[in-house]
Amino acid sequence: MTASPAAALTARAQDVSSEIVTDILTLVHQETGSYDLPGLAAGLDLLRELTVHHLGRPDREERHPGGECGDTLTLTYTGTGAGHVALVGHYDTVWPTGTLAGWEQPEASDDGRDKLGGPGIFDMKTGLAQGIWALKLARESGVPVPTVTFLFNGDEEIGSLSSRRVIEEVAQKVDVTLVLEPTAHGAVKTARKGSGIFRVTATGIEAHAGLAPQDGASAITALCEFVVAAAAVAAPDKGTTINPGLIKGGSAINVVAGQATAGVDIRVSSEAEQARVDAELDAIKVSDPRVRIEIDHAWNRPPMTLNAASAPLLDLAREVAREQGRDELPDAAVGGASDANFVSALGLPVLCGMGAVGDGAHAQGEFIYPDTVPAQTALVAGLLGRLAEPLRG
């Protein structure tokens, strides 16, 4: 009996799983910390090389300079169908160069499943390799495939400051965007919190801490008051978290501090909460009126929801998963933000979390389950085969 197309695609992904894993590890071994411009350049060259090796030279290619961030690369492969899909993934990681040397491989899980670890393997170099192989397998299956534009950006972990414009432009030109971020324990991600990266500056008056402390107005003391008050603005029951993650200030131990700064990470689930946080932070007063508090309200990503355009795409992904033998394909709302937030905010169809299955993003010991690589690759490949025509809501 001839295997169904879905079964044949899944079997083919299984056959080449070791090759996909080899590509994943090749990408992991090229370290690409978000602030290491030479490492990012080498990593993007390697990613392009792997893509061309498996798919041939693209029909269109553009490298967008990132300035102080990693460059963004778009590679477009003309399909045999009328649809156009963007596969989006970042190649930068949170790990500084040199982390790989001291990385220890994780032990197998309690149920005996193998794990593979490495800086960025889960978030998100596995997704990058799986995306390349997904188009390769979809082509080999003989079904019509859409035009595919790969978008690889090197600044997602620091806010997509350079690449946001390119992401939004590409998303508006295609029919569907699939973001190759890691899954939530196997679930696709249909809702994400919006995020803000606020900088708070306190400007006081310097004075000698022993001879004339009364003449000074401590920026550090005032900033500490502000940070405590800001943390109280959080509303976890509404999905709002506020984390003062960085604080710096002062010039010497025996000098009343004239300046201090704090970096504050803010996550919200709605635009209403975003507005509330803005207003309540602006209303905070410190005890010494001589200290000036300035807040840079840098909202980085809007909240992502399962919008009306994305719901049919989720239904289609679940249909493909069932055809490939999965019992279910769950979806999840998560606290982290991604480039999918930008696409969702435009009201366009997008699914996130199409990449790795594993755990430990941004934590020492992040890992993937290599036995999930074939199924995840086949899922994206199968979805590409169904998107050869534009998605109809």
Side-chain angles (χ1 to χ4, degrees):
M1 178 181 293
T2 303
S4 69
L9 182 59
T10 303
R12 176 60 179 154
Q14 186 65 53
D15 289 342
V16 298
S17 62
S18 63
E19 296 177 58
I20 305 174
V21 169
T22 295
D23 285 346
I24 292 168
L25 293 177
T26 297
L27 292 173
V28 170
H29 290 157
Q30 171 58 58
E31 295 182 272
T32 49
S34 298
Y35 298 102
D36 177 6
L37 289 180
L40 289 166
L44 185 54
D45 288 344
L46 175 61
L47 189 51
R48 181 191 180 278
E49 180 182 315
L50 277 177
T51 307
V52 172
H53 173 73
H54 290 300
L55 300 173
R57 296 185 64 84
D59 297 292
R60 293 190 300 280
E61 174 176 356
E62 189 169 2
R63 189 160 180 154
H64 306 263
E68 296 182 356
C69 304
D71 292 349
T72 299
L73 180 67
T74 56
L75 305 173
T76 297
Y77 290 88
T78 303
T80 52
H84 192 171
V85 176
L87 293 180
V88 175
H90 67 87
Y91 61 94
D92 66 316
T93 78
V94 299
W95 301 104
T97 300
T99 301
L100 181 64
W103 198 281
E104 295 183 3
Q105 284 300 316
E107 297 180 357
S109 62
D110 292 341
D111 59 2
R113 295 175 70 190
D114 287 338
K115 297 177 181 179
L116 275 180
I121 193 168
F122 180 60
D123 184 14
M124 57 165 288
K125 293 187 175 182
T126 292
L128 298 174
Q130 289 177 172
I132 296 166
W133 275 90
L135 179 55
K136 178 179 175 68
L137 296 183
R139 282 175 163 184
E140 290 177 355
S141 71
V143 302
V145 295
T147 294
V148 171
T149 294
F150 290 94
L151 188 154
F152 302 130
N153 59 320
D155 61 349
E156 192 273 348
E157 296 292 5
I158 54 174
S160 300
L161 304 177
S162 169
S163 61
R164 177 177 182 172
R165 174 187 60 81
V166 185
I167 293 163
E168 292 177 336
E169 287 178 357
V170 168
Q172 292 177 85
K173 293 176 182 177
V174 302
D175 302 305
V176 162
T177 299
L178 302 178
V179 180
L180 302 167
E181 288 273 0
T183 68
H185 304 288
V188 297
K189 297 171 180 176
T190 52
R192 286 180 171 274
K193 290 185 180 181
S195 63
I197 305 172
F198 284 24
R199 180 181 173 86
V200 182
T201 302
T203 304
I205 301 171
E206 289 190 340
H208 194 293
L211 295 178
Q214 70 281 356
D215 293 340
S218 175
I220 288 179
T221 300
L223 185 62
C224 288
E225 292 176 3
F226 179 92
V227 163
V228 171
V233 174
D237 58 318
K238 298 178 181 179
T240 301
T241 59
I242 297 178
N243 177 61
L246 291 172
I247 193 164
K248 295 186 294 185
S251 58
I253 294 174
N254 60 349
V255 176
V256 176
Q259 191 167 64
T261 61
V264 184
D265 178 284
I266 303 175
R267 309 285 171 137
V268 296
S269 297
S270 68
E271 292 182 1
E273 273 297 280
Q274 181 174 313
R276 181 187 70 83
V277 168
D278 278 334
E280 294 197 20
L281 292 187
D282 282 338
I284 293 174
K285 303 295 183 184
V286 296
S287 60
D288 192 332
R290 296 176 296 169
V291 179
R292 183 174 73 253
I293 300 290
E294 297 172 289
I295 309 170
D296 178 12
H297 293 253
W299 288 105
N300 179 246
R301 290 183 174 90
M304 173 187 174
T305 60
L306 182 62
N307 61 31
S310 299
L313 181 57
L314 176 61
D315 290 340
L316 183 60
R318 285 174 166 160
E319 185 178 326
V320 170
R322 285 192 297 271
E323 291 173 353
Q324 294 181 352
R326 295 198 190 190
D327 293 333
E328 62 175 350
L329 181 65
D331 69 306
V334 298
S338 83
D339 291 327
N341 291 57
F342 299 135
V343 182
S344 176
L346 295 172
L348 300 171
V350 59
L351 282 184
C352 193
M354 302 300 296
V357 180
D359 208 350
H362 298 191
Q364 188 77 31
E366 70 173 289
F367 70 91
I368 64 164
Y369 292 110
D371 62 355
T372 64
V373 166
Q376 288 300 111
T377 305
L379 175 63
V380 177
L383 194 50
L384 290 177
R386 299 292 296 274
L387 291 169
E389 297 298 325
L391 181 70
R392 305 299 179 190

